[in-house]
Amino acid sequence: MADPFIRIEGVSKKFGTFQAVQDVSLTIAQGEIFSLLGGSGCGKTTLLRMLAGFEEPTSGSIFIDGQDMAGVPPWQRPVHMMFQSYALFPHMSVEKNVGYGLKHEDMTAEARKARVAEMLELVQLAQFGHRKPHQISGGQRQRVALARALARQPKLLLLDEPLAALDKKLREHTQFELMSIQERTGVTFIVVTHDQEEAMTLSDRIAVMDKGRVKQVGAPSEIYEFPNSRFVAGFIGSVTAFPAKVSAVAGDVATVQVAAFQGDVQARAVPGLSVGQEVTLAIRPEKLMISQTRPEGANIVAGQVKDLAYFGKDSLYRITLPSGELISVHSVNAARSAGGRPDWDDQVYLSFAPAAAILLVA
C-alpha cells in the first residue's frame, strides 16, 4: 500500500495503569471496509475513539489523508462516527435527523434539502422522511443513522458495532446493504465488531485484536485459512486443536506425531519447522470428512459418534477418538433422506487432506 489513506503508527493508550491499546500500527486504503475484530476489552473501541478524536494517544501517531491528527479536535477531522445506539433525536422526523449535521454547513436551504433527499434515497427510506424514529423498524433506524453520518460527506466513517441491535436475519440482510452503500459512496469504513461472521462478510480486511494488540491483519479468507497463532485460530470460527511434535519435514509437507490420533499426521508445513519441535495441530470441523467405511489415503482416524446436532443444512458431530479426546465435524446434508448418515454411537472414520491441517507455532 504505497500511499495509505490512514496510517496508525505505534499507537498506545493508557488509562492510568491500564494499557488499553499497545503499539498498534496499521495502514488502511481509501475506499476500504476495514474491521477491528475482538472480544470485549481488547482495545478496538478505544482505537476507534482515537481515530475520531474523542481520545488522544498516549504515544504514537495517526494520519488521515496525509494529515497528522495530533491535536485536531473531532469536529475538524474528515470523520463521522456512527454509534451503536444510533443516537437519533426522537422528537425529530427522519429527514430532520438526517439533515441535523448540515445545519452549520455552508450551503443553501435548497442544497441542504437536496442532500437530505439524496441520502434518504441512498438508504431506500425516501418514503419515510416525515415519520419519527419510533414509527420505523430497528433496521430502518440503523439506515437513518447511516444516512445522517454520510450526509456531511466524510472521508472516513467509523461504525461502532453497527448491527448489534438487529436480530439475526435483519443483521444478515443489512450487512449486504452496508456493503452496497459503501461501494456507491466510496467512503472508507472502519467497523468495530465482536461478531466474527459480521467481520468476515463485511470486510475487505480484518485486524484481529487481543489485550490491546493486533494479532493478525489480512483478508477474511487469509485470517480464516491461515491463522498465525492459536488465539486467532480459536477466535475466528470453530477449530479443534491438539498438541503435536514434528517428526519429519519434506518440502511443503510436515509429518507430526499427534498423541490424540495415536499416530502420525501429514500437514502443510510452515516456515522454520524443525524435527522435534513442539507445535499445535488445528483442524476446522468442515475440513473433516466423515464416513462409515474406511477411506483410502493418509490422515485417517477411527472414532465413535458421541454427540449429534442436526441443523437442517448441516449436522455437527462430536467424535470420541481412540485416545478419549473429542473432535468436532461439520457435515453438509446434501441429500434429503437421513439414510446413510452416521448416528449416535456409530463407529466412523475421519479423514482430511494434509493442506486442511493447520500447524501453529505461536
Side-chain angles (χ1 to χ4, degrees), residues 118-192:
E118 179 188 357
M119 291 300 103
L120 288 177
E121 192 68 37
L122 179 70
V123 298
Q124 302 176 27
L125 290 175
Q127 69 271 39
F128 297 102
H130 296 294
R131 294 192 185 183
K132 299 288 178 63
H134 73 273
Q135 296 174 314
I136 58 177
S137 69
Q140 289 167 336
R141 287 195 291 273
Q142 189 264 358
R143 282 185 278 159
V144 172
L146 181 62
R148 182 179 63 184
L150 293 170
R152 294 183 64 187
Q153 297 180 322
K155 294 180 180 179
L156 172 62
L157 182 61
L158 309 175
L159 301 97
D160 186 9
E161 301 279 4
L163 309 180
L166 307 182
D167 63 61
K168 180 175 171 55
K169 284 202 171 182
L170 185 56
R171 187 163 63 245
E172 291 172 353
H173 174 72
T174 308
Q175 286 170 2
F176 291 101
E177 285 190 337
L178 271 177
M179 294 163 67
S180 175
I181 289 168
Q182 188 274 339
E183 186 177 6
R184 280 180 278 164
T185 60
V187 175
T188 305
F189 281 17
I190 298 182
V191 181
V192 155

Side-chain angles (χ1 to χ4, degrees), residues 39 62-63 69 82 91 94 117 144 210 246 257 289 311 334 338-339:
I62 294 174
F63 295 84
M69 292 290 109
M82 182 176 153
H91 62 288
V94 164
V144 172
D210 181 46
V246 179
Q257 300 169 353
M289 302 296 292
F311 300 124

Side-chain angles (χ1 to χ4, degrees), residues 70-328:
V72 179
W75 58 89
Q76 290 182 3
R77 300 188 180 204
V79 175
H80 198 100
M81 188 162 178
M82 182 176 153
F83 296 96
Q84 181 178 344
S85 64
Y86 309 149
L88 300 178
F89 297 108
H91 62 288
M92 290 185 182
S93 67
V94 164
E95 60 185 9
K96 286 184 177 178
N97 265 285
V98 172
Y100 182 80
L102 300 174
K103 291 198 304 181
H104 302 295
E105 294 286 301
D106 185 18
M107 58 196 311
T108 65
E110 283 301 311
R112 191 177 298 115
K113 184 177 179 181
R115 178 78 59 77
V116 170
E118 179 188 357
M119 291 300 103
L120 288 177
E121 192 68 37
L122 179 70
V123 298
Q124 302 176 27
L125 290 175
Q127 69 271 39
F128 297 102
H130 296 294
R131 294 192 185 183
K132 299 288 178 63
H134 73 273
Q135 296 174 314
I136 58 177
S137 69
Q140 289 167 336
R141 287 195 291 273
Q142 189 264 358
R143 282 185 278 159
V144 172
L146 181 62
R148 182 179 63 184
L150 293 170
R152 294 183 64 187
Q153 297 180 322
K155 294 180 180 179
L156 172 62
L157 182 61
L158 309 175
L159 301 97
D160 186 9
E161 301 279 4
L163 309 180
L166 307 182
D167 63 61
K168 180 175 171 55
K169 284 202 171 182
L170 185 56
R171 187 163 63 245
E172 291 172 353
H173 174 72
T174 308
Q175 286 170 2
F176 291 101
E177 285 190 337
L178 271 177
M179 294 163 67
S180 175
I181 289 168
Q182 188 274 339
E183 186 177 6
R184 280 180 278 164
T185 60
V187 175
T188 305
F189 281 17
I190 298 182
V191 181
V192 155
T193 181
H194 67 277
D195 189 308
Q196 303 149 34
E197 289 186 11
E198 183 178 303
M200 299 280 281
T201 302
L202 281 175
S203 311
D204 297 308
R205 288 189 304 140
I206 299 170
V208 182
M209 295 188 67
D210 181 46
K211 298 178 182 176
R213 292 183 178 273
V214 171
K215 295 299 210 177
Q216 187 172 357
V217 180
S221 59
E222 179 185 350
I223 297 280
Y224 186 83
E225 299 291 355
F226 302 100
N228 64 2
S229 66
R230 297 178 185 91
F231 172 80
V232 174
F235 190 80
I236 301 292
S238 299
V239 71
T240 308
F242 304 102
K245 181 184 287 187
V246 179
S247 56
V249 181
D252 61 354
V253 176
T255 302
V256 295
Q257 300 169 353
V258 185
F261 292 174
Q262 296 183 345
D264 288 346
V265 165
Q266 292 183 346
R268 177 183 289 164
V270 294
L273 284 182
S274 58
V275 173
Q277 183 177 359
E278 302 284 345
V279 295
T280 297
L281 175 80
I283 309 174
R284 298 206 181 274
E286 74 278 7
K287 307 294 188 187
L288 289 156
M289 302 296 292
I290 184 170
S291 61
Q292 292 173 293
T293 57
R294 185 181 179 88
E296 298 294 327
N299 296 348
I300 299 166
V301 61
Q304 184 177 25
V305 178
K306 182 179 188 296
D307 294 307
L308 167 59
Y310 177 77
F311 300 124
K313 68 182 189 309
D314 58 18
S315 295
L316 174 65
Y317 296 89
R318 295 177 74 220
I319 308 299
T320 304
L321 299 176
S323 61
E325 298 197 54
L326 292 173
I327 189 169
S328 296

